[in-house]
């Protein structure tokens, strides 16, 4: 049984899920500036118009193929450097200087949004769905800082399952607690996995921190579009939130950006407390990431022998394979790949 079938989306270097993908930090794009961005194999020109709105367009001018990131921003539009053709924020040609009038041509535009200090691009032809968010903070104001940016030698899907690989918490991180996850679909594009067990009473560490928890140890992971994960963990009185925003590179590798988030607290004292909490959040994330780094530089993932502890991983694989698939570089829609429901039919050892 091969969980990495070429006809599935999961761990496929040629397919990915339609959805929101991070492009670049907001602070890297000033008003009136344009950046060249290669996203999921496709070249884009992303610029910020005079109003502050971010516009993403296909990179190449339809006249002779000049890269529009070589041009300049004018108002809400962009003008090609080569022959000065101008396109508005809808991608419509509004000026051809050599003709004195526009031509009925346009460039493809893509929906954008800004959140967590990042510019996100909606990749797909469907109407954009919700941006990734931390379920506990859906309707709450928050502070954030950008954490580590990294590259891993494995597929984003494989990197994300690390957070729900229940057994590795014991083997790699020496956590004296059995982790069992309950999964729930937040919506058609997002799935959450939450720890539902207490246990660990034979461990002095668990007994020490037990008073900090009313029920089970708080740990949950919410996956969005198969490429972004939000982690919630910590004692009842203080939860830490970490976002792992990932995107696929050539040959199925991963480029990622961590984002540290906390509830907004008012006033200077609240701001100061949040700086400390965000720093602590980053240390928590670094602790868990450090132990796994070497694995994701050498792994060749293929779940041939799933066991009971891998149930959540199998559920995530199924969730990803049920999403709408697009092709690398062209971003064209493909027929729905095979369901991985058959994974559950495999005898668990």
């Amino acid at each position: 049984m091969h969980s990495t079938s070429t006809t599935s989306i999961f761990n496929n270097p040629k397919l990915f899920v339609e959805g929101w993908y991070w492009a670049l930090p907001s602070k890297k794009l000033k008003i009136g500036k344009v950046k060249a961005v290669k996203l999921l194999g496709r070249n884009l020109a992303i610029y910020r118009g005079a109003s502050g709105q971010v516009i993403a367009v296909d990179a190449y001018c339809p006249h002779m193929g000049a890269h529009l990131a070589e041009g300049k921003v004018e108002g809400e539009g962009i003008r090609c450097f080569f022959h000065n053709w101008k396109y508005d924020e809808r991608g419509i040609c509004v000026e051809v200087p050599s003709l004195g009038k526009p031509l009925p041509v346009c460039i493809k535009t893509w929906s954008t949004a800004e959140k967590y200090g990042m510019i996100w691009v909606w990749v797909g032809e469907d109407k954009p769905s919700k941006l990734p968010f931390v379920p506990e903070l859906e309707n709450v104001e928050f502070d954030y800082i950008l954490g580590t940016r990294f590259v891993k030698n494995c597929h984003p899907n494989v990197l994300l399952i690390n957070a729900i690989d229940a057994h590795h918490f014991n083997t790699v991180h020496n956590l004296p607690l059995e982790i069992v996850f309950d999964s729930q679909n937040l919506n058609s594009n997002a799935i959450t996995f939450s720890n539902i067990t207490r246990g660990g009473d034979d461990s002095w560490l668990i007994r020490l921190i037990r008073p900090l928890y009313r029920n089970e140890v708080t740990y949950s992971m919410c996956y969005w579009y198969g490429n972004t994960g939000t982690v919630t963990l910590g004692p009842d009185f203080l939860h830490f939130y970490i976002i792992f925003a990932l995107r696929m590179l050539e040959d199925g590798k991963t480029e990622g950006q961590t984002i540290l988030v906390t509830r907004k607290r008012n006033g200077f004292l609240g701001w100061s407390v949040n700086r400390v909490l965000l720093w602590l959040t980053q240390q928590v994330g670094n602790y868990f990431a450090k132990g796994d780094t070497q694995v994701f530089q050498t792994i060749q993932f293929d779940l041939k022998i799933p066991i009971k502890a891998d149930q959540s991983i199998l559920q995530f694989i199924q969730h990803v394979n049920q999403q709408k698939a697009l092709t690398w570089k062209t971003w064209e829609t493909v027929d729905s790949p095979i369901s991985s429901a058959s994974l559950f039919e495999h005898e668990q050892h």
Side-chain angles (χ1 to χ4, degrees), residues 27-301:
K27 65 182 181 181
K28 297 290 186 180
L29 190 65
K30 306 298 184 183
I31 289 179
K33 298 299 182 181
V34 57
K35 295 284 187 180
V37 174
K38 191 168 186 177
L39 182 62
L40 298 165
R42 193 180 186 113
N43 289 300
L44 305 176
I46 301 180
Y47 66 94
R48 193 182 296 278
S51 68
Q53 178 185 359
V54 175
I55 297 100
V57 300
D58 278 350
Y60 302 108
C61 179
H63 178 212
M64 286 192 184
H67 200 300
L68 291 170
E70 302 290 341
K72 61 180 179 179
V73 179
E74 293 184 1
E76 302 304 311
I78 190 166
R79 188 180 294 277
C80 180
F81 168 79
F82 204 16
H83 298 98
N84 285 345
W85 290 27
K86 184 179 179 180
Y87 303 89
D88 67 12
E89 68 273 19
R90 299 165 296 172
I92 297 172
C93 177
V94 293
E95 187 178 333
V96 179
S98 62
L99 296 179
K101 62 179 182 179
L103 288 174
V105 297
C106 64
I107 49 177
K108 177 67 179 176
T109 62
W110 302 93
S111 296
T112 65
E114 293 188 78
K115 192 174 185 178
Y116 309 115
M118 300 293 288
I119 294 170
W120 303 76
V121 175
W122 174 260
V123 180
E125 296 295 340
D126 290 343
K127 181 180 179 180
S129 298
K130 288 186 175 182
L131 277 163
F133 62 82
V134 179
E136 283 191 7
L137 302 181
E138 180 178 7
N139 300 308
V140 176
E141 289 189 86
F142 54 84
D143 284 339
Y144 61 85
I145 59 172
L146 297 184
T148 306
R149 189 165 172 177
F150 56 86
V151 174
K152 300 292 185 182
N153 192 36
C154 68
H155 194 283
N157 295 158
V158 174
L159 190 59
L160 284 175
I161 64 172
N162 187 56
I164 53 170
D165 183 352
H167 194 202
H168 104 284
F169 287 110
N170 308 124
T171 58
V172 176
H173 301 295
N174 299 314
L175 186 67
L177 176 71
E178 179 185 9
I179 298 290
V180 178
F181 291 107
D182 176 51
S183 66
Q184 289 187 326
N185 290 318
L186 187 64
N187 57 48
S188 60
N189 303 120
I191 185 171
T192 62
F193 293 88
S194 300
N195 172 47
I196 59 171
T197 54
R198 286 177 64 91
D201 293 326
D202 56 344
S203 165
W204 68 268
L205 175 60
I206 297 300
R207 290 197 302 270
L208 180 65
I209 67 174
R210 180 69 70 201
L212 303 179
Y213 296 87
R214 290 189 301 271
N215 298 302
E216 65 276 355
V217 173
T218 301
Y219 177 81
S220 65
M221 183 76 173
C222 182
Y223 293 107
W224 292 85
Y225 308 104
N227 73 89
T228 295
T230 67
V231 179
T232 300
L233 74 163
D236 292 337
F237 67 89
L238 178 63
H239 285 174
F240 297 98
Y241 309 101
I242 307 171
I243 299 175
F244 295 93
L246 311 181
R247 60 188 183 191
M248 186 166 63
L249 299 176
E250 200 81 37
D251 299 324
K253 297 181 180 181
T254 298
E255 184 175 15
Q257 172 71 60
T258 58
I259 306 167
L260 302 317
V261 186
T262 190
R263 293 175 181 270
K264 189 174 183 65
R265 294 167 176 83
N266 296 325
F268 178 76
L269 179 59
W271 180 89
S272 301
V273 168
N274 277 3
R275 301 286 77 72
V276 175
L277 291 177
L278 290 170
W279 179 84
L280 286 173
T281 304
Q282 187 163 23
Q283 306 318 303
V284 171
N286 289 343
Y287 167 76
F288 283 104
K290 184 178 180 181
D292 304 321
T293 296
Q294 64 194 65
V295 173
F296 295 111
Q297 295 304 109
T298 57
I299 191 171
Q300 294 186 10
F301 183 86

Side-chain angles (χ1 to χ4, degrees), residues 1-3 303 306 314 317-318 321 340-346:
M1 187 279 295
H2 295 270
S3 62
L303 183 54
L314 296 175
I317 293 173
Q318 183 182 43
N321 285 338
S340 60
S342 59
L343 293 176
F344 293 96
E345 300 172 3
H346 188 276

